[in-house]
Amino acid sequence: MTDVAVRPAEHTPEPVDRVGARPDREHRIFRGALVLIIAAAVVVRFIARQPLWLDEAQSVAIARLPLSGAAPTMWDGLLQDGSPPLYYILLHLWISVFGEGTASVRGMSAVINLGSAVPVFYLGRRLVGDRGAKVAVVLYLTSPFALYFGTETRMYSLIVLLTALGGLALERVLRVPSVKNMVLLAVASGCLALTHYWCLYLLVTVGAWLVGLVVVRPRVAAARAARRGRAGRSGAHSRGGRRPAAPAPADASEQPTAAPELLADAAGGARRAVPTWHPRGPLAGIIGIIAGGLVFAPWLPNFRSQLAHTGTPWGEPASFAAVSHAYGQWAGGPTTLGRLLLFLITGLVAAGIAGRPLGGRFVLLDLKGLEPGRTLFLLATGTLIVAVAAGKLVGNAWADRYTATAFVPFLLVVGLGATMLADRRVFHSVVAVAALVGVIAGTSDVRRERSQAGEAADVLTRLSRPGDILLVCPDQLGPGLARTVPSWLKVYVVPTYAAPDRVDWVDYEERNESANGVAIAQRAIAEAGTNTVFMAGSGAYRTYEELCTQVRATLQTQRPVADEVMEQGLPARVYENYALLRFRAS
C-alpha cells in the first residue's frame, strides 16, 4: 500500500489550548500585565518636557493669535503656514483655558490621543470582532508611533481620532444608508480635510474603493455567476442529464467587508467577520464623502491660496519606497527595539491579511487574502501610494508623521492578525511582548531631545547682555528659540529680519533665493554697535545652502573675534540641531 501525504489544510490539528477558554491563573497574570503596561503607556504620554521644536512652537504661535481684530489674526497665520484650521481652533480654545506652557499644550495631544482608543475599539468591534478590537486598542495605546504623537503639539492625534470616527460613520452608512448616517459621514470627512490636507488622500482612496464596489464588483460577481452556471450545465450534460450539485458557497474572502456577522473558522478557533451590507450602502458612502465638501467649502478660497503660495519647500517628494518605510514607523518606530518589534508586527499583519487558524500553533496563509484584513490593508496602503503619487505630481515632500492618516486600518489588521493565534499561550505571549516592547521603544523615542532651544537658552542667558543681537539662520529654528531665549535679547530671522516666533512659508523658496546675506549681516552689525552678535545656524536646511554661509562669512570678516559657544548636536540625539556662534566687537 502506498502512503499518500496529506496537506496540512486537510488534516487540521485540534486547538489544544484555544484562546477564549475559561480564565485561569495564566490568563489573570496576562490581564494584570497588560493593565500595568497600559498604565505605563498612559503616563509616558505626559512626561515630555523638552523644549518645543519648529512645528510644535509654530502651532502654538499661530493658535494663540486672536480670531478677529487687527492683523495678524489666526487666519493670517494659517495662510502663511499652509495648514487647515480645525486643530488650531481647538488649540486656541485649549490655550485660553490651560495656557501655552510646554506641558499644557502637549497635554491636549495626550488627551486626544487617549480618547481615540474609544472609537478605535468600537470600529474594530464592527470590523474585526471584539477580541481583535481589544488587541488593536492595546497595541494602539502601546504603539511607539502613537506614543510619540501623543506627546507632540501637532494635529496627528486628532487625525487618528477623526479617522476612527469617520470609519464608524462609513460602516454605519454601508449597513444603514440613511440620511442621518450620511450626514455623520459628511461631517467626519469634512473635519478630516479641515485637520490636515493629507487626509484628502485617505478620502480619495476610500472613495475610489467605494466606486469600485458600485461599478466593478457587480460585474465581477455576475461574470463569476455566469461561469458557475456554464460549469453546472456542462457537468449535468456530462452526467447524462442528472441535476448538477449545488454550487459551493462563496469563500469568505469574496464577501463585502463591513458589518460583523461572525462565522467560526473550520478549526473552531478565531473568527473572521463576514459582512452584510445594504445594496445601496457603497453609493450612500460616496455621497456622504462628497457631501463632506460642503463642510470644507468655507475654507476653500484659503486652500487655493495656500496651494499656490505655500507647500513643503523644506523637502523633496518621496519615492514609493517611502510606503514600506511607513510600515516600519507604524510597527515600531526608529529605535533599535522598535525595529525589532517590526518583525513581530509584520507576522501579525500577514496573519491579519491572509491567515486562517488551523488550531494549536498553526496558521494557514491564503495568498489570495481574506476579508476584512485584505481590504483594510488595501485602504492603508492605497492611501500611502496616492500620497506619494500626488507628491510627485505637485512637488510636496513626505514626512512619516503625515502617515497618521492611514494608521487606523493598519492597526485593525494587526489586531485581527493576533486573533488568528488559536493557542492561548502563543496569543498571550505575542500580545504581551508587543505591548511591552512598544512602550519601552516609545518611551525612548519620547524622551529624545527635539530641539537644542533649551541648551541655547542656557548659553545665551549666561553670555548675552541687553542690546545683544541673535541672528537665526534658517528661520525654521526661530519658533523654538523664541520660547526659550532671554527677553533682553533682540532676535531676528534670516532673511526677513523679522520676529522669530513664526515661519512665513509664502513663496518661501523664491524669497530665500533672492535674499542678500551680506546685507542682513551688515544690518545686524550696525544695530548691535558695540554689543555682541550671536548666530544660531545650521547648514543642513534646503533653500539655505548658501545663504547662512554668506551671513556667517560676513560676520566673521567684519568681526574676527569669534568663537563657537554651543556645538551642533548629533541628529541621533537631538532632532532640531544647530550651532551657536558669538561675534564680539573688537
Side-chain angles (χ1 to χ4, degrees):
M1 188 170 102
T2 304
D3 291 334
V4 179
V6 179
R7 291 180 298 169
E10 297 172 352
H11 185 66
T12 316
E14 291 299 321
V16 295
D17 197 4
R18 190 183 309 161
V19 174
R22 187 175 63 185
D24 56 9
R25 182 170 178 270
E26 177 191 320
H27 186 68
R28 289 193 295 270
I29 292 173
F30 169 70
R31 293 180 64 178
L34 283 189
V35 169
L36 293 177
I37 293 170
I38 291 172
V42 172
V43 172
V44 168
R45 284 168 165 82
F46 295 92
I47 67 171
R49 293 293 186 271
Q50 311 95 314
L52 305 185
W53 73 288
L54 164 63
D55 283 10
E56 294 182 283
Q58 174 102 338
S59 297
V60 175
I62 293 172
R64 72 185 177 197
L65 293 172
L67 299 178
S68 61
T73 64
M74 191 175 74
W75 317 112
D76 298 316
L78 288 171
L79 283 175
Q80 293 176 347
D81 183 64
S83 296
L86 182 57
Y87 170 77
Y88 295 87
I89 294 172
L90 295 177
L91 185 58
H92 177 89
L93 298 175
W94 181 275
I95 288 174
S96 68
V97 176
F98 299 103
E100 58 181 83
T102 297
S104 172
V105 295
R106 284 183 174 151
M108 175 178 149
S109 294
V111 170
I112 294 174
N113 193 278
L114 292 171
S116 301
V118 177
V120 167
F121 171 74
Y122 282 107
L123 178 61
R125 191 162 69 173
R126 295 301 309 172
L127 297 181
V128 300
D130 188 72
R131 187 177 302 279
K134 290 177 181 178
V135 174
V137 168
V138 169
L139 297 184
Y140 165 70
L141 291 173
T142 59
S143 161
F145 187 78
L147 276 170
Y148 184 83
F149 292 115
T151 66
E152 185 164 83
T153 311
R154 293 293 284 165
M155 68 286 292
Y156 307 112
S157 292
L158 180 60
I159 290 172
V160 172
L161 174 64
L162 292 174
T163 301
L165 291 173
L168 280 170
L170 176 59
E171 192 276 333
R172 287 173 61 94
V173 167
L174 291 172
R175 283 189 295 111
V176 185
S178 64
V179 173
K180 174 185 174 182
N181 289 338
M182 285 191 286
V183 169
L184 291 175
L185 178 58
V187 171
S189 300
C191 287
L192 277 167
L194 288 171
T195 300
H196 198 287
Y197 293 136
W198 262 51
C199 293
L200 296 173
Y201 303 144
L202 173 64
L203 297 175
V204 167
T205 303
V206 173
W209 170 66
L210 292 172
V211 169
L213 294 180
V214 171
V215 176
V216 177
R217 189 127 190 179
R219 297 179 182 177
V220 173
R224 187 173 293 131
R227 287 196 299 271
R228 286 199 297 264
R230 288 193 297 270
R233 288 192 297 271
S234 174
H237 178 73
S238 65
R239 290 188 297 267
R242 288 183 298 168
R243 169 180 283 184
D251 188 274
S253 66
E254 300 303 325
Q255 301 298 322
T257 58
E261 179 185 327
L262 297 177
L263 300 181
D265 197 274
R271 302 181 174 201
R272 277 188 177 267
V274 178
T276 52
W277 284 343
H278 193 284
R280 293 192 298 273
L283 180 59
I286 295 170
I287 295 172
I289 291 176
I290 293 175
L294 298 176
V295 179
F296 185 75
W299 186 253
L300 190 57
N302 297 321
F303 173 59
R304 289 173 177 166
S305 175
Q306 292 172 332
L307 197 61
H309 297 287
T310 62
T312 55
W314 43 264
E316 298 281 357
S319 70
F320 286 101
V323 174
S324 61
H325 188 263
Y327 299 149
Q329 295 299 105
W330 290 345
T335 64
T336 301
L337 274 178
R339 294 311 186 195
L340 292 175
L341 182 58
L342 172 62
F343 289 98
L344 184 58
I345 298 298
T346 299
L348 295 180
V349 170
I353 296 171
R356 292 180 185 273
L358 295 183
R361 297 179 298 276
F362 296 89
V363 176
L364 175 69
L365 294 181
D366 184 342
L367 296 183
K368 188 177 181 180
L370 299 168
E371 299 296 0
R374 182 173 62 183
T375 292
L376 289 169
F377 190 76
L378 170 68
L379 294 176
T381 304
T383 300
L384 300 179
I385 292 173
V386 169
V388 173
K392 288 179 174 294
L393 183 64
V394 301
N396 282 342
W398 170 289
D400 289 322
R401 52 190 179 270
Y402 297 170
T403 65
T405 54
F407 185 47
V408 170
F410 178 85
L411 271 175
L412 298 183
V413 173
V414 177
L416 177 60
T419 66
M420 298 299 106
L421 304 175
D423 184 89
R424 184 171 61 185
R425 291 185 180 89
V426 174
F427 173 83
H428 287 172
S429 299
V430 168
V431 174
V433 169
L436 179 61
V437 173
V439 169
I440 296 173
T443 302
S444 175
D445 200 22
V446 164
R447 292 174 63 86
R448 178 189 178 197
E449 286 293 335
R450 304 178 191 188
S451 172
Q452 285 188 264
E455 182 183 356
D458 291 340
V459 173
L460 290 168
T461 299
R462 187 176 74 253
L463 299 180
S464 69
R465 299 291 180 267
D468 289 350
I469 289 177
L470 172 63
L471 282 180
V472 181
C473 188
D475 58 356
Q476 295 171 48
L477 307 176
L481 282 165
R483 293 176 56 86
T484 62
V485 296
S487 58
W488 61 78
L489 201 61
K490 300 176 183 178
V491 186
Y492 304 105
V493 296
V494 177
T496 58
Y497 213 75
D501 60 324
R502 288 185 290 116
V503 176
D504 182 357
W505 294 105
V506 175
D507 300 326
Y508 189 79
E509 188 168 2
E510 294 83 351
R511 182 176 67 237
N512 291 345
E513 288 177 352
S514 62
N516 187 333
V518 174
I520 295 168
Q522 290 176 340
R523 179 177 178 179
I525 291 171
E527 182 176 349
T530 59
N531 287 89
T532 300
V533 176
F534 293 88
M535 178 180 173
S538 171
Y541 283 72
R542 190 171 177 268
T543 76
Y544 277 90
E545 291 83 356
E546 298 180 3
L547 184 57
C548 292
T549 301
Q550 194 178 42
V551 172
R552 177 177 177 173
T554 304
L555 291 172
Q556 183 76 55
T557 300
Q558 300 196 19
R559 290 201 167 187
V561 182
D563 57 341
E564 183 179 70
V565 294
M566 184 187 79
E567 292 184 355
Q568 184 163 352
L570 297 175
R573 295 183 179 178
V574 56
Y575 179 70
E576 187 177 74
N577 52 84
Y578 45 89
L580 187 61
L581 308 175
R582 177 172 59 177
F583 300 90
R584 288 177 285 187
S586 54

